Amino acid sequence: MSSDAIITPGVRSEVGRLRTVLLHRPGNELRRLTPRNNDALLFDGLPWVDRAQQEHDAFADVLRGRGVEVLYLGELLVETLADPAAHTQAVEDTISDIRLGDTLREFLSRHLSDLGPDELAEIMMVGLRNDEVSGTGSLVAALHEALDFLIDPLPNLLFTRDSSVWVGDRATITSLAMPARRRETQLTELIYAFHPRFSGVKRIHGWEKEYLEGGDVLALADGVLAVGVGERTRPSGAERLARTAFGLGLAHTVLVVPIDQDRATMHLDTICTMVDVDAVVMYPNVAHRLSAIAVRPGSGSDLIVDPPAHFLEAAAHAMGIGQLRLIDTGLDPVTAEREQWDDGNNTLAIEPKVAVAYERNVETNKRLVDSGIEVIPIAGSELGTGRGGPRCMSCPIAREPVP
């Protein structure tokens, strides 16, 4: 794409027509998953990688077919590392783990510094095992098993929504709570800081700040954010984002939404996503008990914190609409639990009344269609082993304003 055709980045709603999106095509980092490490790396199974790539390619083709520009994190990372300053920063970030010890850290610094952009990017994503280097002179390496990782792989890179999220015209570099994922945001911050595509883009938050994950941030309307708080995003992360958004004029209301935590409801977007300017699809078990605390700027540095209210009512009030339409899946409890586990509510809106969803969620998709939503189904039998749907797998960089 020529430079004059590049879309100006910015996201002010969940449903404005999607113009540019960041994806990560699954690669060799998924081949690092084993029965011994998949739980620690937050996967429920070992995906068939070739099939996962086919499914992801079909997902990307669906988006391109709707006029969406698709950027790939891996390609952007390689291009970023061609900058010597970015290369140096990447090495420093990658070896910052205190578990390495000084001797191994110095060895890895020399080893990684000698690599070209492609090789360094591969190690940053795929990791480095103890048996893949020799002559370290390190006690730490000597005490590790051959198959232990000195640099951990990042199989969750597939879920680009979590490691960055756009709030207005700012790239929000998030801070991931789970140890297996914390290094992901170092990669995204490196890209936004050094890649020519994002020259001049201002960043907020940062990987070293309070825990805040992109899957917990929903842009309900221009100026209205919802932030889920639980095991992943913490109250301090939500407060930091609210203060920053208010200070920069990016929001006038932030709805802080406490969410129960289990593997099927990790983020707010696993139980609630928008499919139209005034409609959400929600997990029925929480739809009528989800609450929200509205936060608004006060005088000086003070915040106005309202008492808890029903989420749908608080959201409609903040958005300035009479009612936020709930698409209740209307499922029996067993089907509801199954389709929740299969990310039935984790849809990606590509414009008002048009959403991408996993094809296996037959009942949820039927209810969406019956409510006037065009559903574009995609396969996800292998992509879903990390517990994430189309919204989790995509980071919108540019959306058109809602008419």
Side-chain angles (χ1 to χ4, degrees):
M1 174 172 288
S2 63
S3 59
D4 60 351
I6 290 176
I7 307 299
T8 301
V11 175
R12 297 186 179 276
S13 79
E14 291 292 314
V15 298
R17 183 188 171 199
L18 185 59
R19 300 301 305 277
T20 302
V21 69
L22 177 65
L23 305 182
H24 177 66
R25 186 177 190 266
N28 290 328
E29 67 278 355
L30 290 186
R31 303 185 198 278
R32 299 291 210 172
L33 290 167
T34 70
R36 187 176 68 165
N37 69 15
N38 70 297
D39 281 345
L41 293 174
L42 310 179
F43 271 71
D44 292 307
L46 306 182
W48 178 9
V49 180
D50 290 346
R51 180 58 56 81
Q53 289 175 332
Q54 293 170 6
E55 293 173 352
H56 196 272
D57 289 343
F59 175 42
D61 286 343
V62 161
L63 298 178
R64 292 191 190 97
R66 293 289 180 132
V68 180
E69 177 193 18
V70 174
L71 304 178
Y72 285 111
L73 186 147
E75 294 177 0
L76 293 177
L77 181 60
V78 172
E79 294 164 359
T80 297
L81 293 174
D83 182 325
H87 195 286
T88 298
Q89 184 66 55
V91 172
E92 291 178 2
D93 291 343
T94 304
I95 63 173
S96 62
D97 192 331
I98 61 172
R99 297 175 301 169
L100 295 175
D102 289 343
T103 302
L104 185 54
R105 186 175 296 109
E106 291 171 6
F107 172 87
L108 291 175
S109 178
R110 295 190 300 270
H111 177 71
L112 298 180
S113 294
D114 290 339
L115 300 179
D118 292 272
E119 296 170 303
L120 179 56
E122 182 75 357
I123 287 178
M124 291 174 71
M125 295 185 290
V126 174
L128 187 69
R129 282 202 319 251
N130 198 21
D131 64 346
E132 293 171 338
V133 293
S134 60
T136 66
S138 164
L139 173 62
V140 174
L143 290 173
H144 273 306
E145 298 292 335
L147 298 183
D148 287 344
F149 283 99
L150 306 179
I151 299 171
D152 291 331
L154 300 177
N156 293 281
L157 279 175
L158 170 66
F159 306 119
T160 55
R161 175 76 62 159
D162 293 333
S163 59
S164 69
V165 59
W166 285 73
V167 176
D169 60 354
R170 306 296 174 107
T172 305
I173 308 302
T174 60
S175 176
L176 304 185
M178 304 302 287
R181 302 198 62 185
R182 287 177 189 162
R183 202 163 50 81
E184 292 176 39
T185 54
Q186 294 178 349
L187 273 66
T188 51
E189 182 152 26
L190 195 74
I191 290 168
Y192 288 128
F194 289 98
H195 195 284
R197 174 66 185 261
F198 302 106
S199 177
V201 167
K202 295 181 179 180
R203 305 183 305 280
I204 58 176
H205 212 74
W207 61 266
E208 77 288 354
K209 294 288 198 307
E210 298 90 343
Y211 293 140
L212 172 74
E213 304 203 358
D216 279 320
V217 180
L218 275 64
L220 298 179
D222 193 359
V224 182
L225 300 176
V227 182
V229 168
E231 181 185 11
R232 302 300 183 89
T233 294
R234 307 292 169 79
S236 56
E239 180 176 305
R240 170 80 69 175
L241 179 62
R243 289 187 179 279
T244 302
F246 296 154
L248 294 172
L250 300 173
H252 58 74
T253 305
V254 172
L255 300 177
V256 178
V257 184
I259 53 177
D260 298 331
Q261 295 294 295
D262 59 48
R263 286 299 291 275
T265 58
M266 293 176 287
H267 292 124
L268 180 58
D269 70 1
T270 62
I271 57 176
C272 174
T273 51
M274 291 193 73
V275 290
D276 198 2
V277 293
D278 65 346
V280 295
V281 56
M282 292 180 68
Y283 179 35
N285 288 15
V286 302
H288 298 291
R289 59 182 176 86
L290 196 66
S291 65
I293 298 170
V295 181
R296 292 168 284 117
S299 60
S301 61
D302 292 342
L303 297 176
I304 298 172
V305 180
D306 290 346
H310 190 279
F311 171 77
L312 293 175
E313 295 173 0
H317 178 73
M319 296 165 68
I321 60 177
Q323 182 179 12
L324 185 59
R325 188 161 48 104
L326 169 64
I327 299 178
D328 189 333
T329 51
L331 306 173
D332 66 88
V334 173
T335 306
E337 288 289 343
R338 187 182 69 245
E339 298 208 1
Q340 169 66 14
W341 182 248
D342 287 336
D343 302 292
N345 299 282
N346 194 248
T347 58
L348 171 66
I350 56 176
E351 62 182 85
K353 296 185 176 67
V354 181
V356 182
Y358 279 148
E359 63 183 0
R360 63 179 176 234
N361 295 305
V362 177
E363 295 298 330
T364 301
N365 293 345
K366 180 180 183 300
R367 292 291 302 220
L368 286 167
V369 171
D370 290 346
S371 298
I373 307 302
E374 178 188 352
V375 174
I376 305 174
I378 63 168
S381 61
E382 299 303 316
L383 291 176
T385 54
R387 304 268 63 85
R391 188 181 192 274
C392 287
M393 294 190 297
S394 57
C395 174
I397 289 176
R399 284 187 183 272
E400 292 182 0
V402 173

